[in-house]
Amino acid sequence: MKTVIIYEDKDILVIQKPSGLATQTAKVGQADVVSELKNYLAAQKNGYLGVIHRLDQPVEGLLVFAKNKKAAGNLSKQLQLGTLHKQYYAVVCGLFPQKQGELVDYLRKEDNYAKVVTGKQAQYPDAQKAVLQYRILQEINEPWKLALADIHIDTGRFHQIRAQMAHAGMPLLGDTKYAEESMQEPGRSLGVRNVALCAYHLTFQHPATNKQMSFQIRPEGKAFAYFESNNFGLL
């Protein structure tokens, strides 16, 4: 099983999803986190798995799943209210005149793509407001001009971080979908085949005990190895 179980009790599962593994897919014969966990739970005579949130296939990081309907309802409500918090590390390309800031955009989903719309276009009825905060933790100039960013999202939109950061001129390393062609060379040169994004920190209230739960991991993607280890763990 590629999925790593970080924590488990009778109500929840907290897992680490590796990059390249889909959270859930309809493709026949393709492995995904949900299938792996359902097989794992079936061996325990438990057939229920509640999917609360997802990560894009190229993205690594933490996810919480429910093992019963009551827990699923509680966690889904926390997600809707914004009390289920997620924090991300990203390796971004480009120039970083502001070391921290807030990005506010409107996003429309077009097929499997998130398009940033501006001005009068933001009046499209299907455009959703997307808000994130970022903070640059470290910059390097070799082998390419890159930065390690700490990112928090206020809204959970489709491909939000990838679309907003690229629109702001700071595309994620390895992102061939949203980065302009000229900004894709660092990823190709370094052999980074997955988007350099990791959901490294997750907090929520336990759905049964109301205890505050907090989990944190270190990113494993090769893109993060270019940065000093003491940067990881900063919140």
Side-chain angles (χ1 to χ4, degrees), residues 12 21 25 43 72 74-75 84 94 101 104 116 129 145 154 171 173 201:
I12 62 172
L21 181 67
T25 181
N74 182 288
L75 290 170
L84 190 154
V104 181
V116 177
K129 189 176 183 179
K145 187 168 182 56
D154 292 346
L173 183 67
H201 190 249

Side-chain angles (χ1 to χ4, degrees), residues 177-191:
K177 181 183 286 285
Y178 291 97
E180 295 182 359
E181 181 64 29
S182 62
M183 301 294 280
Q184 294 181 23
E185 183 56 31
R188 287 193 291 262
S189 174
L190 298 174

